[in-house]
Amino acid sequence: MENINFGPSADTPSHVLKIAPEAVAKLIKQAIAATVTPEIARSAVEGDAGALASFGRAIAVQEGHLLEAVIIALASTHPARLALTDLRLAVLPAAIEVIKRNRRTLYQGISLEAPPQTGATYHPDLVIADPRGRYALIIDVKRSLSGYLGGSKLLELQQRMTASGLILPDLLWRDHQRLAVETVGTAIIDGSKTSTDVSDGVWPLSRLDELLQIEGAARLAIESMEAFRDGIRKEWQTAIAAAVKGQRAAAETVAAEAHLSQPQTKEIAPRRRGRPPKARPSIQVGLLGPGLRPH
């Protein structure tokens, strides 16, 4: 068993990427649509704390799913290698003990019989097999390994991968049409890694050409992540604009309804100006009698 970078022509990709861009573009659109749903976007823009947290988690989850799907799509374009997914590899306790207690040189040539699917298992994101070169590569794809640092989680993951690699040759021979494998390697792809050092078995996206032996794989993988993030920003801006437009329309409706509900008072027409009224003659009041004038 070798940990990383094995097989002939590993430093010189033997296949030039030609087909994957269309498939990757479709994957990006699907990931954006699954991340920014109208309901989550509306609630998040309105300031709902739960919706904001859910939106942040959705971005991280969908980006991880997208990266895995992109790498599988890229690996599937190689004409001489098989990209296998949905494999369940047994993790034997005895294999873990062998790995923990011995140097790699003592167990890298061991191959164990693949048991029935019982007990602990490891589900790799991708297994690449090369029938002509008689080797296989177990790949685990991570959006980021930040949650694995500062503890034993990364080491435990690598041990599970190596232990499952001990039974992989027997499983491929038994369940995949007598596919013969003599060498098995493991590699973890970290989508956030910037260092190009792969001595620890962790690969950055910038070195995918070497790992997958496909020229152009690294560029397309990096561009797909950038396109996803750019798409999320645009959808978020669209959601904000829609929310602002809706708030304005609602405010205008409320104002119109308030105006209509106010009591309408009848306006009194101003008095028309003209000549002043004629003065009436003075009135005298006194005792009256027949033929007498008031006095």
Side-chain angles (χ1 to χ4, degrees), residues 202 216 281:
V202 180

Side-chain angles (χ1 to χ4, degrees), residues 14 24 28 50 61 63 68 73 91 120 132 134 151 157 170 179 188 199 201 207 221 233 256 273 279:
S14 58
V24 168
I28 295 170
V61 170
E63 185 174 272
E68 178 184 334
V91 180
R132 293 186 302 183
R134 289 177 173 264
L157 172 60
D170 185 62
L179 178 57
I188 298 173
S199 60
R207 293 191 64 175
R233 283 192 294 269
R273 292 185 178 182

Side-chain angles (χ1 to χ4, degrees), residues 186-234:
T186 65
I188 298 173
I189 298 175
D190 180 2
S192 66
K193 184 174 182 178
T194 56
S195 170
T196 58
D197 179 26
V198 296
S199 60
D200 58 354
V202 180
W203 289 69
L205 296 181
S206 60
R207 293 191 64 175
L208 278 185
D209 287 27
E210 299 171 47
L211 185 65
L212 302 182
Q213 296 188 12
I214 299 174
E215 184 179 341
R219 177 186 55 79
L220 185 56
I222 293 171
E223 289 179 353
S224 68
M225 294 298 101
E226 293 174 348
F228 171 76
R229 293 162 191 160
D230 184 58
I232 293 296
R233 283 192 294 269
K234 290 179 178 177

Side-chain angles (χ1 to χ4, degrees), residues 97-136:
E97 288 301 314
V98 168
I99 293 167
K100 287 181 177 180
R101 297 176 181 275
N102 296 277
R103 296 189 304 273
R104 186 180 304 151
T105 54
L106 297 178
Y107 63 75
Q108 65 181 7
I110 297 176
S111 177
L112 302 178
E113 182 178 352
Q117 293 297 327
T118 58
T121 60
Y122 168 66
H123 183 194
D125 295 318
L126 175 65
V127 171
I128 295 175
D130 189 320
R132 293 186 302 183
R134 289 177 173 264
Y135 62 85

Side-chain angles (χ1 to χ4, degrees), residues 66-84:
L66 174 62
L67 180 59
E68 178 184 334
V70 166
I71 290 174
I72 291 173
L74 293 172
S76 300
T77 65
H78 198 294
R81 306 171 83 184
L82 301 177
L84 306 174

